[in-house]
Amino acid sequence: MSETQPVTAPRPLLLADGRPAAEAWSLDPALRHLNHGSFGAVPLAAQERQQDLRAEMERSPVVWFPNLPPRLAAARRELAAFLRVDAGDLALVPNASAGASVVYAALAPRPGGEIVVTDHGYGAVTMGAERLARRWGGRVRTARVPLDADAGQAYEAVVAELGDATGLIVVDQITSATARRLPVEAIGAEARRRGIPMLVDGAHAPGLLPAPLADAPYDFWTGNLHKWGCAPRGTAALVARGPERERLYPLIDSWGAHDPYPDRFDQQGTIDATSYLAAPTALAFVEQTWGWDAARRSMDDLADYGAQVVGAAFTDLTGEDSRVDVGLPVPGMRLVRLPDGLGRTRVEADALRDRVARELDVEAAFTSFAGIGYWRLSAHVYNTPADYEYFAEKCVPVLGEWARFAD
């Protein structure tokens, strides 16, 4: 750590009996888990609940499946309460990308229509927007938002791309690659004024933001509960308001097709819906053990500490400032600039992720934006200051060596 940047390690959260928080998860102790944001991590309580549900399903599938819709409706009510939205607005989908796909499939054809996205958008969601634009015979317009742009600058960058041909706006609430917020409320208000539908990709919002849809002036929002909410994977919400929501249908037709929104999403043939039913257990575990407000504060303190410790280590190694000025930063996530030559593209960043896991026994996220590589830190309650101290001491020097030999 640089002597010019002294930081105090935050106190990690513990379980009620004094054990480390990580003991409530089944994470491999041989690895350092510093990338909660990509795939989440499911606490044992929710894993056990899902296993019990699966056993119930297998004991009597003919009883299980016909009786599944009312159970899913009950789970939806609990998940809606967590997100602070009306249960009648919330449908269950496997992930945020699936929610976006539902919206893309539902919108009325708009010949020649344009779709506005940003250069911070999640790749799969942007690819779906490109396919929709091709079906419309239109194109995608990309708003360029500087990494350090404030709310006003980001708003102006998106609004500058709007025009008479705009048929849809797609904007991330929290960006995946760049760990920042975008001013979706202000953009949504302008979209509504112009009569343009808007889809908000809130993949990272549930759990990080206490009320991600408060007074939301946009038509569609989709977010993952299996990231920061720690629900079993394959658990996400699609929230739709306004007249367009009656056009939304599951991507696979089933016997619930004639039901109203969102009930028609509760009947999906023989899919394994136990992740949805176990999701409230995960959310309740965090609330009952620490409380979500305390958990969020801990995540943010850990992320801040990790960014300072690891950033100082990179700065000491390279002599270049590794700090990153991110406009509208979010709790629990930070960026640290990598040495030149590392993670310059998404392909390089993914390869670096895999190599670090394989050779350094660390699960970490590396991202790329505008040709620059970053270490994206995403902390959860099971992390400790020692995780980041380890990365600074053991991994940073190795990454520096890899940078020296990069093409």
Side-chain angles (χ1 to χ4, degrees), residues 59-340:
R59 279 196 301 270
S60 184
V62 176
V63 172
W64 171 269
F65 286 102
N67 288 281
L68 189 55
R71 297 179 71 169
L72 288 172
R76 276 197 293 109
R77 288 192 289 272
E78 294 188 67
L79 300 178
F82 176 74
L83 294 172
R84 304 182 190 179
V85 299
D86 190 315
D89 294 336
L90 185 150
L92 296 170
V93 290
N95 52 46
S97 298
S101 296
V102 166
V103 174
Y104 294 154
L107 292 176
R110 181 167 181 147
E114 296 180 343
I115 302 172
V116 172
V117 302
T118 79
D119 55 349
H120 297 254
Y122 187 67
V125 173
T126 298
M127 291 175 190
E130 291 168 348
R131 288 192 295 274
L132 177 59
R134 289 195 294 271
R135 293 199 300 272
W136 283 355
R139 64 169 180 155
V140 167
R141 299 179 65 96
T142 302
R144 307 292 174 182
V145 180
L147 186 58
D148 61 353
D150 62 21
Q153 293 167 329
Y155 168 84
E156 292 296 339
V158 174
V159 170
E161 299 298 328
L162 304 182
D164 293 340
T166 306
L168 178 67
I169 304 169
V170 184
V171 181
D172 292 62
Q173 189 167 30
I174 295 174
T175 64
S176 178
T178 50
R180 60 158 292 157
R181 290 191 68 166
L182 290 173
V184 293
E185 294 82 8
I187 297 168
E190 178 62 14
R192 180 158 293 180
R193 188 185 73 80
R194 298 186 185 214
I196 303 171
M198 180 165 163
L199 165 64
V200 173
D201 181 354
H204 286 270
L208 274 191
L209 304 180
L213 289 108
D215 302 319
Y218 30 86
D219 305 273
F220 310 108
W221 176 97
T222 184
N224 292 322
L225 289 150
H226 57 236
K227 286 184 182 285
W228 304 94
C230 295
R233 291 166 196 85
T235 308
L238 171 61
V239 176
R241 295 164 172 163
E244 290 287 339
R245 75 178 193 173
E246 289 308 321
R247 299 177 60 90
L248 301 179
Y249 281 81
L251 295 177
I252 300 173
D253 288 326
S254 192
W255 286 101
H258 293 308
D259 293 340
Y261 175 91
D263 297 356
R264 62 176 70 115
F265 285 78
D266 292 342
Q267 192 162 346
Q268 289 285 285
T270 55
I271 66 166
D272 183 348
T274 57
S275 62
Y276 300 139
L277 298 180
T281 299
L283 302 176
F285 167 75
V286 175
E287 178 60 37
Q288 293 165 8
T289 306
W290 302 287
W292 272 101
D293 288 341
R296 277 188 283 268
R297 287 193 298 271
S298 177
M299 296 174 204
D300 202 39
D301 289 345
L302 284 165
D304 195 41
Y305 180 75
Q308 292 183 67
V309 169
V310 174
F314 274 125
T315 298
D316 289 346
L317 181 72
T318 65
E320 299 178 354
D321 193 352
S322 66
R323 291 175 299 179
V324 183
D325 185 9
V326 174
L328 302 181
V330 297
M333 299 176 73
R334 299 288 188 276
L335 292 183
V336 174
R337 181 166 177 162
L338 293 171
D340 291 342

Side-chain angles (χ1 to χ4, degrees), residues 23-83:
E23 293 191 16
W25 276 260
S26 58
L27 295 166
D28 185 349
L31 296 173
R32 298 275 177 169
H33 300 273
L34 307 184
N35 182 19
H36 184 88
S38 284
F39 300 106
V42 186
L44 287 166
Q47 292 183 44
E48 292 164 359
R49 174 60 177 156
Q50 186 176 26
Q51 289 168 1
D52 289 344
L53 289 164
R54 281 178 170 156
E56 181 184 348
M57 176 176 64
E58 297 302 336
R59 279 196 301 270
S60 184
V62 176
V63 172
W64 171 269
F65 286 102
N67 288 281
L68 189 55
R71 297 179 71 169
L72 288 172
R76 276 197 293 109
R77 288 192 289 272
E78 294 188 67
L79 300 178
F82 176 74
L83 294 172

